[in-house]
Amino acid sequence: MLDYRYQTFLALTEEMNYTATAKRLHITQPAVTQHIQYLQQELGVELIRYENRQLTLTAKGIQLQKDLYLLQREITKVQKQLASTIEHTTLTFGASLTIGEYMMPDFIESYLNQYPTHDISMVTDNTRHLIELLEHGKIDFALVEGEFNQSIFEFQKIAEEPFIAVCSEKCSLWKQDQSINDLFSTTILVREEGSGSRLIFETAIKNKGIHLDSFSKVMTIGSIGAIKRLVGKNVGITFVYQKAVEEELKNGILKKIPLSDFSVIHPFYLIYLKRIQLKEMETIEKFLRLIE
């Protein structure tokens, strides 16, 4: 177990409020203050700063928070291993929505066929949240399509996938070659902010001097499945990884819109923190060997 004062610090970094932290930990507010003051004096650094009536973490505070999350994760693993009579491996990772839904089932099947005694725990979420989970030590690695800080994470490219425009088979846009500018009068469906695929799309059009607002109507939908169904009903068009619409293209429900001036092929990455335990690295390498 972490020292109770470090537990108080972690709770405060999540609540960013002394009263809420005290209530959460069932201690008094002065006790929270005393715990933080003790840590700052013991470590000889400022961890929490109060400015403009708002709490903020210092650079040292952010570093300590990340280190404690990782340490807490290792402590939990040790406790589980000691409590268990059988030694087993758990593959704990995250995948962005496109990868998780359309690529991972085959990978997981291959992994379990080779390592049938291993457990698997996969979180499916957008890239931004997966990075937070990695930094907090909640998952061992993540498979993402979005951008990430390469100074913090080690990474391996696992695939490259075309990013295409699609419409309903009832729409006439797929019937002839055109420019992306010809699509501005159309409703476009996009994922929520924080999604890797949305960031890829916005970056691609920004490089052409185009903003999302150039389209007559923008609808934000947080589900790939819902977007595909709406596009199939001819509500609008979307830009999506080809892997995510393979079945719909094959069945003719959706059609690829041929664009003369838009061609994007984006890599998918497996990322993990540079500070990682040897045992976890061995598990990641086993997984990588299966998908290479």
Side-chain angles (χ1 to χ4, degrees):
M1 292 285 289
L2 286 177
D3 181 277
Y4 65 92
R5 285 161 293 208
Y6 285 114
Q7 292 176 349
T8 299
F9 171 75
L10 276 182
L12 182 59
T13 65
E14 293 170 357
E15 299 289 347
M16 294 309 287
N17 180 282
Y18 280 93
T19 303
T21 301
K23 184 176 180 179
R24 171 174 162 180
L25 298 177
H26 305 290
I27 60 177
T28 64
Q29 187 172 325
V32 175
T33 303
Q34 288 169 10
H35 293 175
I36 301 304
Q37 288 176 344
Y38 172 87
L39 288 178
Q40 293 187 138
Q41 291 170 3
E42 181 73 12
L43 299 172
V45 294
E46 184 183 26
L47 301 171
I48 303 283
R49 189 172 293 151
Y50 189 74
E51 292 179 333
N52 300 321
R53 303 176 68 181
Q54 187 173 5
L55 286 180
T56 58
L57 285 174
T58 64
K60 292 291 185 181
I62 293 171
Q63 186 61 58
L64 178 61
Q65 179 197 45
K66 292 179 179 178
D67 289 340
L68 288 177
Y69 277 132
L70 294 177
L71 180 58
Q72 192 174 56
R73 178 174 175 78
E74 292 307 310
I75 291 172
T76 301
K77 283 186 175 181
V78 170
Q79 289 173 333
K80 287 182 178 179
Q81 288 169 359
L82 290 173
S84 177
T85 57
I86 302 173
E87 186 174 345
H88 66 276
T89 299
T90 299
L91 193 65
T92 305
F93 65 97
S96 57
L97 297 180
T98 301
I99 298 173
E101 188 167 351
Y102 302 103
M103 294 180 67
M104 290 316 301
D106 291 339
F107 290 151
I108 290 173
E109 180 185 16
S110 297
Y111 186 88
L112 290 178
N113 284 339
Q114 187 154 346
Y115 305 102
T117 63
H118 289 194
D119 295 331
I120 283 184
S121 176
M122 181 179 79
V123 177
T124 307
D125 211 319
N126 64 45
T127 298
R128 181 188 295 170
H129 189 229
L130 293 177
I131 287 174
E132 290 177 3
L133 292 178
L134 268 177
E135 291 177 334
H136 290 181
K138 300 291 179 66
I139 55 177
D140 296 328
F141 63 90
L143 299 134
V144 300
E145 66 218 54
E147 295 180 357
F148 56 91
N149 188 336
Q150 295 186 5
S151 68
I152 297 176
F153 298 105
E154 297 283 0
F155 57 93
Q156 296 278 350
K157 185 167 71 173
I158 60 169
E160 286 187 332
E161 188 65 24
F163 195 71
I164 63 173
V166 295
C167 64
S168 167
E169 55 90 19
K170 303 170 188 175
C171 178
S172 62
L173 289 172
W174 62 273
K175 295 180 180 179
Q176 60 183 12
D177 226 26
Q178 56 208 295
S179 165
I180 190 172
N181 295 29
D182 296 325
L183 306 180
F184 289 164
S185 60
T186 310
T187 297
I188 184 169
L189 285 71
V190 296
R191 287 274 309 285
E192 77 285 356
E193 290 189 16
S195 156
S197 56
R198 174 163 175 165
L199 179 60
I200 298 309
F201 176 58
E202 289 188 325
T203 301
I205 61 174
K206 184 179 179 181
N207 290 338
K208 295 180 175 296
I210 300 171
H211 191 272
L212 197 55
D213 291 341
S214 300
F215 294 87
S216 64
K217 187 175 182 180
V218 179
M219 294 176 61
T220 301
I221 309 290
S223 162
I224 299 171
I227 288 176
K228 291 195 295 182
R229 287 192 292 273
L230 288 167
V231 173
K233 293 177 182 294
N234 205 21
V235 172
I237 67 168
T238 193
F239 284 75
V240 65
Y241 286 107
Q242 187 167 300
K243 189 75 174 177
V245 289
E246 277 184 343
E247 282 298 313
E248 290 79 5
L249 292 173
K250 182 179 177 180
N251 296 332
I253 298 170
L254 299 179
K255 296 288 187 178
K256 179 179 177 180
I257 303 173
L259 296 174
S260 58
D261 56 354
F262 185 91
S263 177
V264 175
I265 297 177
H266 192 74
F268 293 164
Y269 291 102
L270 184 149
I271 66 174
Y272 54 93
L273 286 172
K274 291 187 174 182
R275 297 167 298 156
I276 197 168
Q277 299 297 316
L278 178 61
K279 188 173 182 180
E280 291 173 340
M281 191 63 242
E282 290 174 352
T283 305
I284 291 173
E285 287 173 348
K286 287 178 182 176
F287 186 79
L288 277 170
R289 283 195 290 271
L290 286 175
I291 64 179
E292 285 176 345

